Amino acid sequence: MIRRTEEAVSKQVVETSDILNVHNGAINNMVDVRACNKPVERLWWRGVRSSKFRHVYGRPAKREGCYENIKITKNAHDSHFCAANPKFVAVVTEVAGGGTFLVLPIHCTGRLDFNASRVTGHRGPVLDVKWNPFNDNIIASCSDDCTIKLWYIPDGGLATHLSEWLIDLHGHKRRVGYIEWHPTAENILVSAGFDHLMIVWDVGCGEAVNVIDCHPDVIYSMSFNRDGSLIATTCKDKKLRVIEPRRGIVLSEGVCHAGTKACKVVFLGNTGRMLTTGFSRHSDRQYAVWNQSDISTPLCTETIDCSSGILFPYYDHDTHIVFLAGKGDGNIRYYEVVDQAPWLHYLNQFLSGSPQRGLGFMPKRGCDATQCEIFRFYKLHATKGMCEPISMIVPRKSDTFQEDLFPDTAAPTPAVSARDWINGRNCNPVLMSMNTGVAVRTHKPHSPPTLVAPLATLPTINNNIKKFAFLSHETVPDYRPRDNVQVLPLPLSEKSQKTSSNQTTKFQQIQQLFGQPAIIASDEYKRGERTEQLVDSPKTEFQLQRAYSQQCEELKLLKKQLANRERRIRELEEQVLTLQQQRKSQSAHK
């Protein structure tokens, strides 16, 4: 018994010593592993990346700072449906027939009047609106009626419904989905239609500069680079293209995203790179960074999430930040752009509980530098009729001007004229300092005295000459308050003076009493003449199309005028019959 116990104890001692030896060997091995020399490439530590935009946050406006009671459009088109500048906010609205959009002064917040004045010139739903970057009073709109129209908005806003446009551009055979202003050249506009065409317009003379026919399917988006020498497009054929807009030559193209939904593209300033958003083969949302000279393969591709809304990219060249906002989402993600891999660094996201139908943004010159506001969105709520400003702010304790956050930004002054750009000249944007304390706005009277005064004395010249001269006039930023600006009254022509002096005559009273429908029809006919050709006979295909559309409009107005006159004749005949019957009845009673 004692011998068995000693053997058990000795066996336990041996097992314990083996365990200790194994443990000591493991410790020695751990020490050897730590002491070994590893390659330098494998010794890396991620840590926290330093950036002055790490703590950027979104601050939505209070209830009194929002625009309420707006009937926002319910169109399923993939567009922003909102545009803003330091003077106005434009929102596409829902309407039973035709197309309208609302233009509000930037400071007129609160609940909107139900009968607020709108722009009502389109015959189909409005699909996109964009403000002129060099004139805060000019806005362009494209519609389902295959036209692009330019409108003048007075400084105080609209007093009545605006139905008279400055220029009506015809050239697309199907609805026009997207429009973009040139970033540096004055009066250059690019439109993309569902007829697979892109048309470069010179709105100063109302003519097409070039027609780009290189897309086999519907165009989803387009974006200019920093100096406007290149334009990038995405198409339904899942390809990304870089095009020279003056000649219409495709410089490079490649497959963008494998998904079937729409892709969007934006140029990352003058870095030579582009960012696209789209969907993978498995319907995951993703973004990709591309080199503009070689888009056969992306520089990087990252998956974001599995949502179904289309992502819209917004790029701020001054801070090198990309904002990604999805249609139907309630959040806005933002990334910082760098010049080496991985090319984008995630910063943060703005979260909200209400989904968005569209997002407009304010140009950098309209942001508040005193509050360190680097970007401002105008969010169109999908569930309620409200437009909500959202300010993206960098928290800083100092109240002084932050030069590192606000470098010189693009000024509202064109760097090159339309003619020089068409001839091949490229220029970077004219820069201005943000250290002014106020939002820089442009002031351009609707009727410059130097141009309109000599034309007003010639009644035979078409009114389109005045409009084209107004658009071709160079834009000069006006830093004065609005109250100190004096707009000279228009000189009265001889015909208007005669008409005003004969308002109280007997003939004028009879004409107003019995000829009102005819007068209305004649006014409509005059408004139909606003797109009359300046040349004697059409020479190009677009001039022929425009002349044909003008004749169709004139025929419609003439038919309407005849219908009004026939209706008036029938009303007068009925009145004559009733008077005769009354006279007969009176004579019978006598």
Side-chain angles (χ1 to χ4, degrees):
M1 186 71 181
I2 295 173
R3 187 176 297 176
R4 290 180 181 176
T5 304
E6 291 177 354
E7 290 178 358
V9 170
S10 62
K11 184 184 286 189
Q12 187 175 1
V13 170
V14 171
E15 291 176 356
T16 305
S17 63
D18 293 339
I19 293 172
L20 290 175
N21 291 331
V22 171
H23 181 66
N24 292 331
I27 292 175
N28 293 331
N29 291 334
M30 290 177 63
V31 172
D32 293 336
V33 170
R34 291 180 182 177
C36 69
N37 295 324
K38 289 188 176 181
V40 180
E41 290 79 4
R42 297 182 183 179
L43 292 175
W44 63 276
W45 180 62
R46 185 176 185 124
V48 178
R49 178 178 171 272
S50 63
S51 173
K52 56 188 174 184
F53 301 111
R54 274 183 57 201
H55 304 289
V56 173
Y57 67 96
R59 185 178 66 186
K62 297 181 180 179
R63 189 68 177 268
E64 57 270 15
C66 299
Y67 307 88
E68 296 184 276
N69 196 25
I70 301 176
K71 290 185 177 181
I72 302 172
T73 180
K74 298 179 182 178
N75 199 313
H77 181 64
D78 298 326
S79 180
H80 303 308
F81 296 126
C82 180
N85 65 15
K87 281 187 178 181
F88 304 102
V89 176
V91 179
V92 180
T93 56
E94 185 74 12
V95 67
T100 64
F101 61 94
L102 188 69
V103 178
L104 297 173
I106 197 73
H107 297 296
C108 293
T109 57
R111 188 171 181 83
L112 181 67
D113 187 12
F114 180 76
N115 296 322
S117 300
R118 293 172 171 81
V119 180
T120 60
H122 282 288
R123 293 176 296 171
V126 177
L127 301 180
D128 198 7
V129 289
K130 292 290 172 62
W131 289 100
N132 190 332
F134 310 120
N135 190 345
D136 290 339
N137 297 87
I138 298 295
I139 186 171
S141 62
C142 62
S143 171
D144 210 331
D145 60 2
C146 310
T147 63
I148 304 104
K149 290 180 171 58
L150 268 66
W151 313 85
Y152 176 83
I153 310 298
D155 282 340
L158 297 176
T160 59
H161 290 314
L162 179 62
S163 59
E164 183 174 358
W165 53 80
L166 287 176
I167 294 180
D168 190 10
L169 302 175
H170 294 263
H172 289 281
K173 300 175 183 178
R174 296 183 64 187
R175 57 178 176 165
V176 186
Y178 305 97
I179 50 176
E180 284 289 340
W181 288 95
H182 195 280
T184 59
E186 190 172 24
N187 295 333
I188 296 296
L189 182 72
V190 178
S191 61
F194 280 70
D195 54 358
H196 312 162
L197 296 179
M198 289 175 58
I199 302 180
V200 183
W201 303 92
D202 181 5
V203 300
C205 57
E207 294 181 353
V209 176
N210 188 20
V211 179
I212 302 173
D213 186 10
C214 62
H215 298 87
D217 215 323
V218 177
I219 301 168
Y220 282 149
S221 68
M222 53 187 178
S223 174
F224 276 104
N225 63 346
R226 182 69 170 169
D227 60 356
S229 60
L230 301 175
I231 187 169
T233 63
T234 56
C235 183
K236 195 176 180 180
D237 63 350
K238 303 179 184 180
K239 286 190 177 181
L240 170 66
R241 293 175 175 85
V242 178
I243 304 171
E244 206 283 323
R246 280 169 291 219
R247 296 178 295 170
I249 300 174
V250 179
L251 301 181
S252 57
E253 67 176 346
V255 178
C256 186
H257 295 275
T260 57
K261 293 185 179 180
C263 303
K264 302 294 180 180
V265 63
V266 64
F267 261 102
L268 298 179
N270 54 5
T271 61
R273 296 187 297 275
M274 301 171 292
L275 176 85
T276 59
T277 59
F279 293 82
S280 67
R281 194 184 306 273
H282 306 289
S283 297
D284 296 330
R285 291 199 299 191
Q286 57 183 202
Y287 71 81
V289 180
W290 308 79
N291 187 349
Q292 69 179 23
S293 58
D294 181 15
I295 56 179
S296 58
T297 56
L299 298 176
C300 71
T301 303
E302 292 290 337
T303 300
I304 300 175
D305 55 19
C306 300
S307 299
S308 59
I310 295 173
L311 282 172
F312 291 92
Y314 304 84
Y315 179 66
D316 182 16
H317 177 75
D318 299 335
T319 58
H320 304 288
I321 293 180
V322 172
F323 299 89
L324 300 182
K327 194 171 185 179
D329 295 350
N331 58 345
I332 301 173
R333 299 177 177 87
Y334 35 99
Y335 303 77
E336 186 173 3
V337 180
V338 294
D339 294 331
Q340 57 186 0
W343 310 107
L344 285 184
H345 288 283
Y346 175 76
L347 293 174
N348 207 339
Q349 63 177 338
F350 166 76
L351 296 172
S352 65
S354 56
Q356 56 220 8
R357 186 175 295 276
L359 280 173
F361 66 95
M362 175 70 70
K364 181 54 72 72
R365 58 188 172 92
C367 295
D368 189 0
T370 60
Q371 299 294 327
C372 294
E373 182 186 31
I374 60 172
F375 212 78
R376 188 191 305 169
F377 288 101
Y378 286 85
K379 174 181 176 179
L380 302 181
H381 286 247
T383 57
K384 50 186 176 181
M386 185 170 69
C387 178
E388 178 186 23
I390 299 174
S391 300
M392 310 306 294
I393 295 175
V394 179
R396 291 288 174 93
K397 293 182 179 180
S398 177
D399 295 334
T400 59
F401 179 73
Q402 306 294 321
E403 295 182 358
D404 59 333
L405 299 181
F406 299 99
D408 291 347
T409 188
T413 304
V416 63
S417 64
R419 185 178 297 275
D420 292 341
W421 180 81
I422 294 171
N423 292 332
R425 183 182 175 188
N426 295 321
C427 290
N428 286 321
V430 178
L431 302 180
M432 55 166 282
S433 175
M434 289 287 290
N435 193 11
T436 57
V438 295
V440 178
R441 307 174 182 178
T442 60
H443 176 73
K444 189 173 183 182
H446 183 52
S447 302
T450 56
L451 292 176
V452 177
L455 294 176
T457 58
L458 302 174
T460 58
I461 297 180
N462 192 279
N463 191 35
N464 281 329
I465 300 179
K466 304 176 187 178
K467 297 176 181 179
F468 293 149
F470 160 67
L471 286 171
S472 301
H473 186 57
E474 183 179 359
T475 304
V476 179
D478 190 358
Y479 299 89
R480 298 174 295 170
R482 190 177 63 184
D483 299 335
N484 297 335
V485 180
Q486 297 181 357
V487 181
L488 298 177
L490 288 174
L492 293 175
S493 61
E494 183 180 358
K495 182 177 179 180
S496 60
Q497 291 177 357
K498 290 181 180 180
T499 306
S500 60
S501 61
N502 294 331
Q503 289 292 328
T504 58
T505 60
K506 189 67 175 176
F507 175 75
Q508 184 71 18
Q509 294 176 1
I510 295 172
Q511 189 177 12
Q512 291 178 356
L513 181 62
F514 293 101
Q516 187 175 1
I519 293 173
I520 295 174
S522 63
D523 291 338
E524 292 179 353
Y525 181 75
K526 290 178 181 178
R527 287 200 299 269
E529 295 178 353
R530 48 182 158 261
T531 56
E532 185 179 352
Q533 289 291 334
L534 297 178
V535 295
D536 295 335
S537 60
K539 297 178 181 178
T540 63
E541 180 182 357
F542 296 101
Q543 291 178 354
L544 289 170
Q545 291 178 355
R546 192 183 307 169
Y548 175 74
S549 60
Q550 289 169 6
Q551 291 177 0
C552 292
E553 292 289 337
E554 291 176 0
L555 288 174
K556 290 180 182 178
L557 293 172
L558 286 173
K559 291 179 181 178
K560 187 184 295 185
Q561 184 178 1
L562 290 174
N564 289 332
R565 289 184 176 179
E566 290 177 356
R567 183 183 61 186
R568 185 60 180 169
I569 290 171
R570 287 196 299 269
E571 291 177 355
L572 292 175
E573 289 177 351
E574 291 176 357
Q575 291 180 5
V576 170
L577 289 175
T578 54
L579 289 175
Q580 290 178 356
Q581 292 176 0
Q582 290 177 1
R583 184 173 296 178
K584 288 181 180 180
S585 61
Q586 290 177 359
S587 60
H589 286 299
K590 291 180 180 180

